[in-house]
Amino acid sequence: MQMLRPSLAAIAALTALASVAGEPVTVGKQEILYLDQLAQPARWGPSEATVTVAKTQTPGKRPALLLHIAVDHHGGEAKYPIGWPRMYCPLRRPAETEWANWDRLEFDIHAGMSEGKLPKAPLGFQMLCPERHQNNIHNLDEMKLGEWVTVSIPTSKLKHLAELAKLGFNISESSYKDKVVLDFTIGGFRLVRSAECALESLAIAA
């Protein structure tokens, strides 16, 4: 009897189905839990910015958001005309907050700019724990203008993971020239860990 081998299309379909259902998938030596629901604009609350579905997907063919910011040094909040355009997303417990079981959080980001160069701290990524009054902040200085970059954040370096409740992105308008237009395409949110068991210690009984 001839054995049937699944096609690449079938494997891709099964992988997509598993990720939509919130089940981890194994890719090579990595286990990945895709959080594609975080690429839904309705999940994010923007201020001094807009967020929409990106027209392009990430290099890994995952859905993405478009964070659009028109820098305005005169049109911000009354007390802070040069402000902090931003967007925040509350996380759902426990499906989106059990990061301690994973090695790292990753996502892909592409930076577009109407003119000039990116500053040293072009965009901030916040992982907030309001109950602890703790913000884990990652300045996305690895970004490159006009290129896709994968951001990888080890969970071991984050504080109070059990109280993680919200994600956020923001810029400081003081870092940019007035009237510059920024487009950040962000997607492929995922939790990643090794699919192989590692031997951490070995004890020999006498």
Side-chain angles (χ1 to χ4, degrees):
M1 182 176 180
Q2 185 178 6
M3 295 181 64
L4 297 177
R5 295 183 178 180
S7 66
L8 291 176
I11 293 173
L14 290 172
T15 299
L17 180 61
S19 63
V20 169
E23 295 294 332
V25 296
T26 300
V27 180
K29 295 183 179 181
Q30 296 187 132
E31 192 173 4
I32 303 174
L33 177 64
Y34 286 103
L35 302 173
D36 287 338
Q37 65 272 22
L38 298 183
Q40 298 172 1
R43 293 288 305 274
W44 296 82
S47 180
E48 301 179 51
T50 62
V51 57
T52 56
V53 174
K55 294 181 179 179
T56 58
Q57 294 183 317
T58 70
K61 306 301 181 184
R62 313 305 299 191
L65 296 165
L66 177 64
L67 174 61
H68 177 82
I69 301 171
V71 175
D72 187 345
H73 287 185
H74 307 282
E77 299 174 9
K79 293 183 178 180
Y80 307 101
I82 302 178
W84 298 270
R86 56 204 178 270
M87 67 175 184
Y88 291 105
C89 173
L91 295 175
R92 295 168 179 164
R93 296 179 180 273
E96 298 171 353
T97 59
E98 294 186 341
W99 293 18
N101 297 326
W102 298 85
D103 296 336
R104 59 193 184 275
L105 170 75
E106 292 186 347
F107 57 88
D108 304 302
I109 187 165
H110 180 281
M113 190 175 176
S114 60
E115 62 174 296
K117 298 180 180 180
L118 291 174
K120 291 183 179 180
L123 182 69
F125 175 54
Q126 302 178 49
M127 296 149 280
L128 297 94
C129 308
E131 294 180 5
R132 290 276 188 169
H133 303 286
Q134 175 72 48
N135 292 350
N136 294 286
I137 300 175
H138 182 81
N139 290 319
L140 297 168
D141 52 11
E142 63 264 62
M143 282 201 299
K144 297 179 180 180
L145 189 61
E147 298 181 25
W148 280 101
V149 172
T150 296
V151 177
S152 185
I153 302 172
T155 58
S156 60
K157 294 185 178 181
L158 303 178
K159 298 179 180 179
H160 308 302
L161 277 179
E163 285 80 26
L164 185 66
K166 186 185 294 186
L167 302 180
F169 290 91
N170 75 282
I171 70 161
S172 173
E173 285 188 314
S174 62
S175 298
Y176 292 92
K177 289 175 57 178
D178 192 24
K179 307 306 179 184
V180 164
V181 177
L182 304 169
D183 286 307
F184 298 106
T185 306
I186 312 166
F189 294 96
R190 55 198 181 269
L191 292 166
V192 183
R193 64 189 173 200
S194 173
E196 299 179 337
C197 296
L199 182 62
E200 297 181 354
S201 64
L202 178 64
I204 300 176

